[in-house]
Amino acid sequence: MRAWYVAHLQDDVIKVTTRKDSGRHVVGSGTLPLLQRCFRSGIYIIGEWTILDVEVCDDIWNVLVGVQYCGYAACMHAKESRDPSVPNAEREAILSLEMCITDVREWLLANKLKINDKKTEYMLLGTKQMLAKVTSHQIRVGDASIEKTHSLRNLGVIFDENVSMSEHITNICRITNYHLYNLRRISKFLTKETREILIHALISSHLDYCNSLFYGLPAYQISRLQKIQNAAARFVLELPKFEHIQNHLKDLHWLPVKFRILFKIGVLTFKAITNQAPAYLKDMIVQQTNTRYHLRSGSSILLKVPRTRSRNLGDRAFAVAAPTVWNSLPDSLRASTSLRHSKSQLKTHYFTLAYS
């Protein structure tokens, strides 16, 4: 086996380049920067393309002028937002993206590289009412016309045009139910400790991956994920199908799905406040200035909650969700300075709320 890995990997080289000047952080987790900017008012046009055989030079980011962008390894995203009610705004947004892609293509050709047109995807993001006003359904990439898609995958997360996350949750349910079905077939050969390890590896990992994107979703969507966790707990403890599960979740010391989402946002917010998070997260956190009144909470940190025009999308943005979750925490927790201590306190806090 070792010889097989050596044969396939010995000549491969991977290089990840970051650029930190001018406030531009272009390499990192592409999922969060994409969603942070999508949850705003207006139509967002997302173009994604993949570069073949690429060692991206730092100056490619100078080519991306006039559009918002983010990148991860060999995958790049360009974004453009417009109000669909403004005359010609839709066409201007598409032209802006097409010109950007043309500039990137010319830069790549000059550096003996190539865009993979077949993997280019184009999607519109917005509310149903906003999308109904859109008339253009394709974008030009080189010599190809790319039709818009209703969903696309980004770093393992499936996004739909209304950012409802329903397709991604359906995919999670499909994968986890498949694993649970196979695990039940060998359950009698496993100890309780082994079953719990397998559940964390095959089920909890899917429930927790990028779960901060589920903040603000309708209760019925969260319920679908909670049913998966309930089934996993029944498997670990070998419980009947209709056994009441809440006390058993408490015995396992598992946070319900709803509170796991809040826990993840709380941890990300703490990292942003204490300069342990990427700049694109820290830039969206604004601390409240001290008032002239002396408050008992003066030693803890409060964050400003920006106003939004869309409850379904705007309130789910990290810039809104993070201060909302953070300001709801107890003063003692917001005054913590240690990440390890903060995680422990945060879990205890949400565990008490879930099972009190």
Side-chain angles (χ1 to χ4, degrees), residues 219-273:
Y220 78 92
Q221 294 282 30
I222 304 300
S223 177
R224 295 172 65 192
L225 298 174
Q226 186 59 54
K227 289 177 182 178
I228 297 297
Q229 188 186 50
N230 294 348
R234 291 189 177 96
F235 168 78
V236 171
L237 300 175
E238 296 184 307
L239 299 173
K241 183 176 180 179
F242 298 104
E243 177 80 14
H244 186 67
I245 200 63
Q246 184 164 353
N247 291 334
H248 297 293
L249 288 174
K250 183 178 180 180
D251 293 337
L252 288 170
H253 218 261
W254 291 1
L255 281 175
V257 171
K258 172 185 175 181
F259 293 97
R260 295 170 90 93
I261 296 169
L262 297 176
F263 174 82
K264 177 68 71 65
I265 294 175
V267 172
L268 287 174
T269 307
F270 178 86
K271 289 182 177 181
I273 292 173

Side-chain angles (χ1 to χ4, degrees), residues 88-96 98 136 138:
N88 299 323
E90 176 186 338
R91 187 57 192 161
E92 290 176 1
I94 292 177
L95 285 174
S96 179
E98 289 178 342
S136 301
Q138 63 181 11

